[in-house]
């Protein structure tokens, strides 16, 4: 059963990769399954020749790295004090935070606020409103609550303040949940589309997903740009679309194995206490 589920998940992606590396005749005839036919890389060359995709990739890397760093920093700074029962007003703060998770102001008030702050057409319009995911903050808070309180008491006896305790004792023990939440945030930023479409006006600041959508939406046999070794006989719109999707997914798939050993452990330890 697990093998069938895995095959159903993996087959479409393998087929997509095969289509992106196949020739137009094989794609049009529906002959491509799991292995490229009439192997060529013209679809990828057509996507990157004008340089727009590389600029969008650079923008998305900047957006993802900075956004993830800000997310993790503010999530930790919110979760750590809220995990302490001795914090005054902790119950009211948790209720206020939970309220924002259940109710939102809506897209129009959100846009008016961002516009009034002068953040439109800057990445801060994306970073600042999304500094903390309430769900992820509660996961990290639950993880902190599960750590032995004796660790902090020992550190306090040795003269460590709250910052030293957090940075030198708590965070090194929290690497599983940090790795898991980092992956959640990074995937969210990498796939960001709607907010970029709303708040970013300059074409040279567009993210990879927006640029790929524009390229996929506009591609047609008449618009395929000819060049040396590239012609309409070797490129089809289906091949361009497949290559664009592979380019969008590949970086996240390359990062995931590095965090996989922490992923399941971090989510379980942060969400189940007992």
């Amino acid at each position: 059963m697990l093998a069938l589920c895995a095959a159903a998940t993996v087959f479409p992606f393998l087929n997509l990769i095969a289509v992106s590396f196949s020739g137009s005749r094989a794609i049009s005839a529906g002959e491509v399954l799991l292995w490229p036919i009439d192997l060529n890389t013209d679809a990828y060359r057509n996507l990157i020749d004008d340089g727009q995709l590389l600029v969008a990739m650079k923008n998305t890397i900047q957006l993802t790295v900075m956004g993830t760093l800000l997310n993790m920093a503010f999530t930790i700074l919110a979760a750590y004090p809220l995990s302490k029962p001795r914090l005054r007003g902790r119950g009211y703060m948790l209720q206020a935070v939970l309220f924002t998770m259940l109710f939102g102001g809506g897209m129009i008030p959100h846009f008016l606020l961002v516009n009034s702050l002068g953040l439109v057409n800057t990445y801060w319009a994306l970073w600042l409103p999304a500094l903390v995911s309430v769900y992820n903050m509660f996961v990290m808070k639950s993880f902190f609550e599960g750590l032995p309180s004796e660790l902090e008491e020992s550190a306090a006896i040795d003269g460590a303040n709250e910052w030293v305790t957090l940075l030198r004792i708590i965070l090194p023990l929290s690497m599983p949940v940090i790795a898991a939440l980092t992956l959640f945030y990074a995937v969210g930023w990498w796939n960001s589309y709607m907010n970029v479409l709303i708040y970013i006006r300059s074409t040279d600041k567009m993210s990879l997903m927006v640029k790929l959508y524009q390229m996929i939406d506009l591609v047609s046999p008449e618009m395929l740009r000819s060049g040396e070794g590239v012609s309409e006989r070797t490129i089809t719109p289906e091949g361009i679309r497949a290559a664009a999707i592979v380019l969008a997914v590949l970086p996240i798939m390359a990062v995931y194995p590095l965090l996989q050993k922490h992923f399941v452990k971090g989510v379980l330890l942060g969400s189940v206490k007992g």
Side-chain angles (χ1 to χ4, degrees):
M1 183 61 69
L2 291 175
L4 289 175
C5 293
T9 303
V10 174
F11 175 78
F13 187 67
L14 294 179
N15 176 257
L16 201 68
I17 296 176
V19 169
S20 70
F21 283 103
S22 296
S24 60
R25 183 200 60 80
I27 296 174
S28 301
E31 300 176 357
V32 183
L33 288 178
L34 297 177
W35 194 257
I37 299 177
D38 301 333
L39 182 67
N40 73 78
T41 59
D42 292 341
Y44 292 94
R45 290 168 54 193
N46 189 270
L47 282 174
I48 65 177
D49 272 351
D50 59 0
Q52 293 185 20
L53 197 67
L54 297 180
V55 173
M57 182 81 74
K58 182 193 71 173
N59 294 338
T60 303
I61 292 174
Q62 177 186 351
L63 185 65
T64 301
V65 171
M66 188 64 180
T68 303
L69 290 176
L70 289 172
N71 285 149
M72 291 307 303
F74 280 87
T75 299
I76 291 170
L77 293 178
Y80 182 67
L82 289 175
S83 67
K84 305 305 174 189
R86 66 179 183 271
L87 178 66
R88 294 182 180 180
R90 175 173 176 264
Y92 295 106
M93 294 180 189
L94 288 175
Q95 291 177 10
V97 172
L98 182 62
F99 182 86
T100 66
M101 182 179 180
L102 301 176
F103 304 97
M107 182 181 296
I108 294 177
H110 188 275
F111 176 83
L112 293 176
L113 175 61
V114 172
N115 188 50
S116 65
L117 294 174
L119 300 177
V120 174
N121 203 34
T122 69
Y123 289 146
W124 288 107
L126 309 175
W127 290 330
L128 285 181
L131 279 179
V132 177
S133 165
V134 177
Y135 174 82
N136 291 342
M137 190 275 291
F138 274 110
V139 170
M140 181 160 283
K141 167 185 164 294
S142 181
F143 183 91
F144 288 154
E145 289 174 343
L147 295 175
S149 59
E150 291 78 10
L151 292 173
E152 297 183 50
E153 295 172 1
S154 300
I157 292 174
D158 292 336
N161 57 28
E162 294 288 351
W163 285 103
V164 174
T165 302
L166 174 63
L167 296 176
R168 302 187 62 178
I169 297 177
I170 302 300
L171 292 187
L173 296 174
S174 306
M175 289 309 298
V177 72
I178 289 176
L181 297 187
T182 297
L183 184 62
F184 286 158
Y185 280 127
V187 170
W189 285 115
W190 187 266
N191 292 329
S192 57
Y193 172 77
M194 183 57 66
N195 286 340
V196 176
L197 202 61
I198 294 173
Y199 297 112
I200 302 301
R201 308 287 176 77
S202 302
T203 56
D204 58 346
K205 293 183 179 180
M206 289 296 179
S207 67
L208 179 63
M209 294 302 164
V210 176
K211 183 59 67 175
L212 286 177
Y213 174 77
Q214 293 174 349
M215 299 175 76
I216 292 172
D217 187 54
L218 297 177
V219 69
S220 65
E222 292 75 18
M223 297 180 64
L224 293 176
R225 185 164 48 83
S226 299
E228 184 179 354
V230 179
S231 69
E232 292 184 8
R233 294 190 299 274
T234 59
I235 301 178
T236 63
E238 291 79 6
I240 292 289
R241 295 186 183 102
I245 295 171
V246 171
L247 289 176
V249 174
L250 201 58
I252 290 296
M253 292 188 64
V255 171
Y256 178 76
L258 303 177
L259 303 176
Q260 185 179 12
K261 63 180 180 179
H262 299 297
F263 185 73
V264 175
K265 182 181 178 183
V267 173
L268 291 179
L269 288 178
S271 59
V272 179
K273 181 181 178 184

